[in-house]
Amino acid sequence: MLKLTFGSLFILSGGIFISFSLTALSHIFIVPTIIWSFYSKKLTDFKYSKSSLALFLLIIVSALSVIFNWGDIVGNPYRKIFKLKYFLIAIMAVYPLKYMVRNHLDQKKISLLLNLFLITTMIASVSGMIGLYSGFNPLRFKEACHVNRSCGMYGHYISYGYGIHFATLLILGLWTNRGKLETLVNSKLITISLIVNFVGMYLSYTRGALLSVIVCAPFLFLKKSKKLFLIVLIVTSFGFLAALQLSPRLKESFTSNQRLFSIVMRGTMVETAWKAFTEKPLLGWGYKNFEANSRKIKEKYGILYPWFAGHAHNNYFEHLASTGIFGLLFLILFKFYWLREMYARGDLIGELCFPIVLALIFTGLFQYTMGDGENLFFIMGAYSLSQLDRIKV
């Protein structure tokens, strides 16, 4: 069971940006260890954090939102409830992961996981870049998913852009602590991986992800030095403004009529989500069910561009529409407690995860990252690991 738990981490580290199907094996590996660990009751000092309790309540409310809308659910209601597995497994996996860390994990295994993650994220980003410039993604064995934007090895540039931006923040954290990690991973590998993945993220031209790195990266230095935090914030801000002037392609991503119009259209989805909430304020339209009903709601209220339908492009309004006020409340509490727990840790795990949680809060204003399977593997994997005991490095 200890080996299965480590195997789950190994698959997550190596497959998260390579293959969605491969990454799903991490869940298959961890589920038996979850069952075993709770029946064996190996950890007598185990208890859940406030963030885990908030996330668990979010799962319950989301499930109830489907049950109370059963007759109006578009598609298979059981499938929508099943998608809550990402959150539930993340909570339950903390138990076997803690046990594995105390009884099986050593410096060699930590080194393996770190090196594997750094290398495979680079491979995915390079494959996406080759696809962008050649039109054919060599590792996916198919045409690039977009002619002007890198997709890594994902099927969509937005999923890749937001996903790799979380990874870039994590790798940047490793880079700032490379002196402490020199026995685990080569600092040159960290540097190369940081550069390659940042370039990959840049070439995805995902606006929310780019802004998130600028806003959240300085917080890696917040507890070390307030002065350094301000310096990094100023440098990244001016660097971004300079890049807008020097790169016509980047400037176009933020200022072209097409991209500005996309902001207007996304605004109509937020308006639609609000109207959906006013109709069903307590438990919403059902978890993952707003998207299927968004066009109907747009037409009912005469909202602009009824042909542009889908999710709310916003974590908060999406949950407000689909799970009601209670779903939104527990989502906010989950993020709040997770952020506070990471700030209070005062160790490497807290330092690495703090900007990731900030990025989740920030990017939730622009994209439904909590509903993207590829992104959820990273977000919820990071959450489980953030709940572990202090690890000596």
Side-chain angles (χ1 to χ4, degrees):
M1 289 299 172
L2 288 170
K3 290 179 180 178
L4 274 178
T5 306
F6 179 76
S8 177
L9 279 185
F10 181 85
I11 293 169
L12 193 65
S13 298
I16 197 164
F17 286 97
I18 299 294
S19 169
F20 182 76
S21 299
L22 177 62
T23 311
L25 281 174
S26 66
H27 281 180
I28 295 173
F29 274 45
I30 200 69
V31 167
T33 73
I34 291 172
I35 297 170
W36 168 80
S37 60
F38 277 94
Y39 270 100
S40 62
K41 298 181 180 179
K42 293 288 186 180
L43 300 179
T44 56
D45 61 338
F46 179 81
K47 69 175 184 177
Y48 284 113
S49 64
K50 289 183 179 179
S51 62
S52 290
L53 294 174
L55 183 57
F56 187 68
L57 289 171
L58 176 61
I59 294 169
I60 292 175
V61 168
S62 299
L64 288 175
S65 73
V66 174
I67 293 170
F68 278 87
N69 287 282
W70 198 270
D72 299 321
I73 296 292
V74 177
N76 187 341
Y78 293 105
R79 183 174 178 83
K80 287 180 168 56
I81 293 177
F82 183 70
K83 287 184 179 293
L84 293 168
K85 65 180 180 180
Y86 293 101
F87 309 119
L88 185 59
I89 290 175
I91 298 172
M92 306 300 281
V94 176
Y95 195 124
L97 284 171
K98 278 193 174 186
Y99 186 71
M100 187 271 295
V101 167
R102 295 180 187 181
N103 297 277
H104 188 66
L105 195 68
D106 55 30
Q107 298 285 302
K108 185 177 180 180
K109 292 183 178 67
I110 296 174
S111 177
L112 175 62
L113 294 174
L114 287 174
N115 282 280
L116 184 64
F117 178 76
L118 293 171
I119 292 169
T120 53
T121 51
M122 277 197 295
I123 290 172
S125 292
V126 169
S127 183
M129 286 184 245
I130 293 173
L132 174 63
Y133 289 107
S134 70
F136 185 82
N137 191 311
L139 294 183
R140 297 190 77 223
F141 301 103
K142 59 175 66 176
E143 292 183 359
C145 80
H146 197 276
V147 294
N148 294 319
R149 302 172 74 172
S150 179
C151 307
M153 289 185 65
Y154 286 171
H156 199 275
Y157 52 86
I158 291 181
S159 293
Y160 167 71
Y162 280 105
I164 205 66
H165 116 277
F166 287 121
T168 299
L169 285 170
L170 175 60
I171 297 169
L172 179 59
L174 295 175
W175 187 82
T176 60
N177 288 280
R178 61 194 182 280
K180 300 177 185 176
L181 301 170
E182 57 187 1
T183 59
L184 298 174
V185 60
N186 189 292
S187 60
K188 291 182 180 178
L189 177 60
I190 300 175
T191 303
I192 295 170
S193 183
L194 177 61
I195 294 171
V196 169
N197 287 307
F198 179 82
V199 172
M201 179 199 65
Y202 174 86
L203 292 175
S204 74
Y205 296 107
T206 307
R207 293 168 295 185
L210 288 167
L211 288 173
S212 180
V213 169
I214 293 164
V215 171
C216 300
F219 283 89
L220 279 164
F221 307 94
L222 181 62
K223 293 187 75 172
K224 293 180 178 179
S225 167
K226 300 295 191 297
K227 182 178 179 181
L228 184 58
F229 163 75
L230 290 174
I231 291 173
V232 175
L233 181 61
I234 292 169
V235 170
T236 54
S237 299
F238 276 99
F240 173 69
L241 293 174
L244 279 178
Q245 300 303 316
L246 297 173
S247 171
R249 181 70 181 85
L250 181 63
K251 187 174 183 179
E252 179 186 337
S253 298
F254 283 88
T255 61
S256 70
N257 290 333
Q258 180 182 359
R259 300 304 292 275
L260 291 174
F261 183 58
S262 75
I263 296 175
V264 174
M265 289 194 293
R266 291 180 181 215
T268 66
M269 294 309 302
V270 170
E271 182 182 357
T272 306
W274 177 256
K275 291 295 185 182
F277 163 69
T278 60
E279 287 196 10
K280 299 184 178 185
L282 296 181
L283 289 172
W285 285 69
Y287 180 69
K288 303 288 284 186
N289 196 44
F290 166 70
E291 181 174 353
N293 288 281
S294 58
R295 182 166 185 170
K296 178 176 71 175
I297 298 169
K298 268 193 166 186
E299 291 173 347
K300 178 179 179 179
Y301 290 99
I303 298 172
L304 294 175
Y305 316 116
W307 46 268
F308 181 74
H311 57 71
H313 295 275
N314 181 297
N315 282 337
Y316 310 101
F317 277 96
E318 178 71 27
H319 277 267
L320 188 66
S322 60
T323 60
I325 191 66
F326 291 110
L328 176 62
L329 172 64
F330 292 126
L331 175 68
I332 292 173
L333 285 176
F334 162 63
K335 293 183 179 182
F336 169 76
Y337 283 124
W338 188 13
L339 185 69
R340 192 174 74 167
E341 288 161 7
M342 294 305 98
Y343 186 80
R345 279 189 70 119
D347 66 344
L348 184 59
I349 289 179
E351 186 178 333
L352 293 176
C353 290
F354 185 72
I356 292 175
V357 186
L358 275 177
L360 178 61
I361 294 170
F362 182 78
T363 56
L365 299 170
F366 314 111
Q367 181 63 13
Y368 182 32
T369 51
M370 296 288 284
D372 188 316
E374 284 94 341
N375 290 167
L376 275 179
F377 269 120
F378 186 96
I379 294 167
M380 291 293 101
Y383 176 72
S384 295
L385 293 173
S386 75
Q387 301 299 296
L388 296 179
D389 303 323
R390 292 171 181 264
I391 300 175
K392 294 181 179 181
V393 295

